[in-house]
Structures are given as C-alpha cells and as structure tokens.
Amino acid sequence: MPCTAKKKERRRRQLIRADGSTDVDLVLTTKEFAQLLAHRKINWNAVEESAFDEPLGQSTGAAAIFGVAGGVLEATLRTMRHQAGEEPQQLGFTRRTACGMPYASVQLHGLTESGPRRSFTVNVAGIHGLGSAGRFLATAAASKACSDPPLHLVEVMSCVGGCVGGGGQPTRGVGADVVHARAAAIAGVDHTAVWRLSCCCPAVHRLYNNFLGATRSPLALQLLHTSYGTTTHITLGSTNTVKK
C-alpha cells in the first residue's frame, strides 16, 4: 500500500471480529514490500508475470484512478453519467475558481431530481494535501463564494498528488516529476482497461448476485460499511475532537 494510515485502519474496532481476528491480516507499504524483496534477494525484474487470483484480477479503470488526486471524484462522476444514460468517458469539465480554490462544473443530461428529466450541473472540487484542505475549509467558512454556485461534491486526499505521493511510497530522490510519472502510469492503466466504470466490474456483479444480495443489504452493510464516532485526542497540549 502507498498509505501508512492503512496500518491503523486495519485495527479499527469495526474491523475486529468477536474472536479477536481482524478482517485484514497485515498491511505492507510499498517501501516495506521493496525492503522485503531486497531481504529475500528477489530480483523484481526477473520475476515472471502471472495472472492475479480471481476475483482480484478483474478490475476497472475507475479503480485504478483512485490512486491519484481527483480519481475518486472522476470515478463517481463517470457512474453518475452512466446512470443518466450518457457516455461516461468524456466528462467535459468546465474549470472555474471559487473561494480561491479551483473547482469544476460538469453538465449531466437526463438526471432526475424530481419530476421530468432535465439537465443538471454538478459542481465539484478536488483537494489534495491536508494543508490545502485546511485552507479550503477556512476560506469556505469565511466566504459566501463557496455557496454560489454550491459545491455538490468535494474530494479530499491527505497526500499531495493522491496515493501516488503517499507516505508509504519510496521517497529517496523523489521529486514532483516522479509523482507525476506515477500518475501518468495510472492514467495509462485506466485508458487501456476493459471496464472503466466501477459499476461495470463482472466480479463485483457476481459478488452481489451470489453472496451479498442487493446493495445496502444487511450482509453488505455488515461487511462493506463502517461507522464513525466522536473521540478526543490530546496533541501538543491542545484538545482536539475528531471523528474516528
């Protein structure tokens, strides 16, 4: 994983079973995996390629772009456009600025809020880096510009550039050009994917049809969803209330 936070997440109480076992056994970062290969004296370039175990081999371009800033946002918009009966691949962003932060407007045709089908503009913003997120929230709280037009969906990624710039990624000698190259590689995976929509993965369809049942079924909620409560962290002499 490129994300060090996954190590803590796997120990969340919602992911620990009654017998004390966890849904996720172990989390290795990208750097730790590289160190493991080196320790085992495994030459990565000499490893023969093989297929993933099913169903993990069936993935989508939308899943791949989750790893870059704005990827979750774009995957969501693709699905919205697909459900509206439109071609999802070309989103046609119109980029603007509000509250000193960039955002995009996407025109969707055929969405139904209530009543007859009509066009609908979705305003979205993609924030990456917690510093940027803090500035965005502070500016939004102090300005009415963020409510005209309203933002319908905001993506926040903690790491600059998204997961490709995560804390678990190799960092020695790495600059912005390397992060951009990682993002470009993910874009290539997306462009050549057989399925580019999250909702069109055959493995996911089989999972629901044969095991989970309908979306938000009791079993799906139990296995795929989690919950958050308010807790208090004391950091550097100050008390902060956060969601955990």
Side-chain angles (χ1 to χ4, degrees), residues 180-215:
H180 292 157
R182 293 171 182 166
I186 286 181
V189 172
D190 171 41
H191 291 153
T192 58
V194 177
W195 308 285
R196 299 189 67 194
L197 291 165
S198 302
C199 57
C200 292
C201 179
V204 174
H205 285 200
R206 287 196 301 271
L207 178 64
Y208 274 95
N209 292 335
N210 302 332
F211 182 62
L212 294 174
T215 56

Side-chain angles (χ1 to χ4, degrees), residues 215-243:
T215 56
R216 297 188 62 82
S217 68
L219 186 57
L221 290 174
Q222 175 189 346
L223 296 179
L224 304 181
H225 293 248
T226 188
S227 59
Y228 293 85
T230 301
T231 187
T232 300
H233 284 181
I234 299 176
T235 306
L236 299 178
S238 63
T239 302
N240 301 310
T241 301
V242 298
K243 293 292 185 179

Side-chain angles (χ1 to χ4, degrees), residues 44 66 93 105 121 130 135 179 182 213 218 237:
W44 178 256
F66 272 39
F93 280 0
S105 294
T121 299
L130 289 182
R135 290 190 294 273
V179 176
R182 293 171 182 166

Side-chain angles (χ1 to χ4, degrees), residues 56-122:
L56 300 180
Q58 294 187 354
S59 187
T60 66
I65 61 175
F66 272 39
V68 296
V72 175
L73 197 60
E74 179 166 347
T76 302
L77 291 170
R78 286 182 189 179
T79 296
M80 292 174 65
R81 175 153 284 182
H82 173 72
Q83 292 179 338
E86 297 185 56
E87 171 57 47
Q89 312 302 351
Q90 301 299 324
L91 291 173
F93 280 0
T94 300
R95 301 185 186 277
R96 299 185 174 91
T97 300
C99 324
M101 303 294 284
Y103 77 96
S105 294
V106 182
Q107 192 75 17
L108 301 178
H109 302 280
L111 280 178
T112 303
E113 278 190 315
S114 60
R117 295 169 68 85
R118 62 184 181 83
S119 63
F120 186 73
T121 299
V122 180

